[in-house]
Amino acid sequence: MADVARLAGVSSQTVSRVSNGFPGVTEDTRRQVLDAMRELGYRPNSAARALRRGEFRTLGVITFSLSTMGNIRTLEAIATSAAQHGYAVTLLPVAVPTQDEVNGAFSRLGELAVDAVIVIMEIHLLDAATVSLPPGVQVVVADSDAGDRYTVVDTDQAGGARDAVRHLLDLGHDTVWHLAGPADSFAAQRRANAWRDTLTRAGRTPPPLVRGDWSAESGYRAGLRLAAEPECTAVFAANDQMALGLLRALHERGLRVPGDISVIGFDDIPESASFLPPLTTIHQDFAEVGRLCVEGVLSKMRQEAEEAEEDGVDGADGADGLEHGTTLVPTRVVVRESTGRPSRNRQGGGNAATGATTSDP
C-alpha cells in the first residue's frame, strides 16, 4: 500500500479509501490510485480486510439437493444477486437432511468465514420440532413454510397451481389430473393442495393423484398410466421436466397434445418453449426469489449492526428481534401450444382450440 501511495503521490489512507470503495475521493485521484495499483500489481488482502472490518463479504448457502431445476435456478439467482452487492457465495450441499447434518453445515460455514446464511429448504426438514437453526446467525430460508420462525422467501406455489388448473377448466375440461412432485417437497405439497382445492371449489371431483419425483423419467412412467385413463383430457404436471416425460409417453401411446390431452407444466424452464408441442406452463421468477433472499439477509445484517451500535454491544442476539414471515413471489401463466379445448371424443380427431395447431409431441 505504501508503494502504491508513493507512485500515485497520495497518502496510504487515500489508497485504503479507494481500495475499500469509500466515498470522499475525487475521480481524478481515484483513477490515479487505480492506475498505480495496476502498474504495481497491488491487490487488497481480503483476509486482513475481513479481520479489520469484521465482515467477509461472503454469504453461505446451504442446500439439500442440486438435482432439481428449481434449486439450481434459485442458487444461480442468489449467486448473481450477491455478486451485484459485492458478495461472494460459499456453497455447502447437505447430503442427508437431519439435525446433525444441519448443525454440521453451520459449523463448517463458520470455519469458512461467512457473514450470513441462506438455506434452500425444499424438503420437510424445518417441520421437525427438534430442528432449529443456530442463534446469532442471520438466516433467510428459501422454499419453506417456516415463516413463523424464520424469514422465508418463496414462489407463490399455490397461486401458480390454481392458475394452472383454472386455465384448463376455462378451456372446457371437466376435470384436471395432477402429476405431483415427491411427497417430502414443500413445493409439491403446496401445488397438490391447491390443485385439489381449486377443483373442489369449482364443483369438480379431483381424480386420483399421480406421483413423480421431478424427473422426466418419472413423468414418462406416469404418462403411460395416464394414457390408459379414457377420461383424462387434461394434466397439470408439477414441473416442466415431468411434463417432458409425460409428452413422450402420450406420443408413444398415439395420443395427440393438445388434441386428445392438454398438458400444462410448472417452472417455465428455458427449454419448455422448445418442447414438441411448446409447453404451456407456470412461470417462476427465480431471479426475484434470489434477489429477495440476498436483500433480505443483507437487511438483517444491517439491522443487527444498527442495533449493536445503538446498544453499544456486540449485537449477536439481534437476530431474535428481526421480523419473521414469508414473502411470496408471484407467478404467471405462459400459454403455448400444449393446451386447448377438449375434443368430444378423446380418441377422435381434431383439436377444438381456436386457432391452435395440433401437433404430436
Side-chain angles (χ1 to χ4, degrees):
M1 183 178 291
D3 292 338
V4 171
R6 280 193 296 269
L7 181 60
V10 298
S11 67
S12 295
Q13 183 180 10
T14 299
V15 175
S16 176
R17 297 185 71 83
V18 171
S19 65
N20 286 288
F22 291 153
V25 180
T26 66
E27 183 60 27
D28 287 343
T29 300
R30 188 182 71 84
R31 189 179 302 110
Q32 210 171 313
V33 172
L34 292 177
D35 289 343
M37 286 180 177
R38 281 191 290 269
E39 183 174 339
L40 295 175
Y42 170 82
R43 185 175 63 182
N45 188 315
S46 59
R49 179 190 297 174
L51 289 173
R52 184 174 68 254
R53 299 174 61 182
E55 63 178 29
F56 303 95
R57 306 296 293 181
T58 300
L59 302 179
V61 178
I62 296 176
T63 181
F64 296 89
S65 173
L66 288 174
S67 62
T68 65
M69 181 64 64
N71 283 0
I72 290 293
R73 297 284 298 280
T74 301
L75 176 60
E76 177 187 28
I78 289 171
T80 299
S81 182
Q84 292 171 348
H85 287 277
Y87 281 76
V89 166
T90 295
L91 174 65
L92 194 64
V94 176
V96 182
T98 65
Q99 175 66 75
D100 289 342
E101 287 290 330
V102 173
N103 289 339
F106 272 94
S107 296
R108 291 192 293 277
L109 280 175
E111 296 167 3
L112 293 171
V114 300
D115 298 307
V117 177
I118 297 171
V119 185
I120 304 176
M121 193 73 71
E122 201 258 343
I123 58 175
H124 288 280
L125 181 60
L126 290 183
D127 281 344
T130 58
V131 174
S132 60
L133 302 180
V137 177
Q138 299 300 346
V139 176
V140 167
V141 181
D143 200 359
S144 170
D145 64 355
D148 58 334
R149 287 181 288 163
Y150 304 102
T151 300
V152 174
V153 178
D154 194 10
T155 295
D156 187 1
Q157 312 285 354
R162 285 193 297 269
D163 289 343
V165 175
R166 287 169 180 160
H167 171 72
L168 293 168
L169 293 180
D170 289 344
L171 287 171
H173 295 274
D174 291 334
T175 191
V176 177
W177 293 65
H178 184 41
L179 171 51
D184 63 355
S185 163
F186 285 117
Q189 176 186 333
R190 289 198 189 92
R191 295 172 199 180
N193 289 346
W195 158 77
R196 186 178 293 107
D197 180 67
T198 304
L199 287 178
T200 301
R201 288 176 179 274
R204 317 294 172 89
T205 301
L209 181 144
V210 181
R211 184 76 67 180
D213 61 10
W214 297 131
S215 70
E217 179 59 30
S218 70
Y220 173 75
R221 293 192 300 267
L224 296 177
R225 172 181 168 183
L226 291 169
E229 297 285 349
E231 296 181 355
C232 178
T233 67
V235 180
F236 163 39
N239 78 335
D240 291 350
Q241 294 285 357
M242 291 194 298
L244 176 61
L246 172 64
L247 292 176
R248 175 193 165 197
L250 297 179
H251 173 63
E252 290 185 0
R253 289 296 183 264
L255 295 171
R256 298 163 304 152
V257 177
D260 296 314
I261 298 181
S262 287
V263 176
I264 187 170
F266 201 113
D267 282 343
D268 193 23
I269 62 175
E271 297 81 7
S272 61
S274 298
F275 289 2
L276 189 57
L279 183 68
T280 296
T281 186
I282 302 298
H283 176 81
Q284 288 201 75
D285 193 344
F286 292 104
E288 182 67 2
V289 171
R291 185 187 70 82
L292 289 174
C293 283
V294 171
E295 292 193 354
V297 80
L298 294 182
S299 175
K300 289 162 74 74
M301 290 166 54
R302 286 192 296 270
Q303 183 177 340
E304 181 185 42
E306 290 169 0
E307 291 177 354
E309 185 175 346
E310 291 175 0
D311 297 339
V313 296
D314 180 42
D317 295 330
D320 295 338
L322 293 174
E323 184 177 354
H324 299 159
T326 299
T327 298
L328 293 180
V329 177
T331 60
R332 57 184 173 85
V333 180
V334 179
V335 180
R336 298 192 179 104
E337 297 176 29
S338 66
T339 54
R341 297 187 181 280
S343 59
R344 293 183 180 179
N345 180 352
R346 196 183 81 172
Q347 301 303 324
N351 172 26
T354 57
T357 301
T358 301
S359 55
D360 291 337

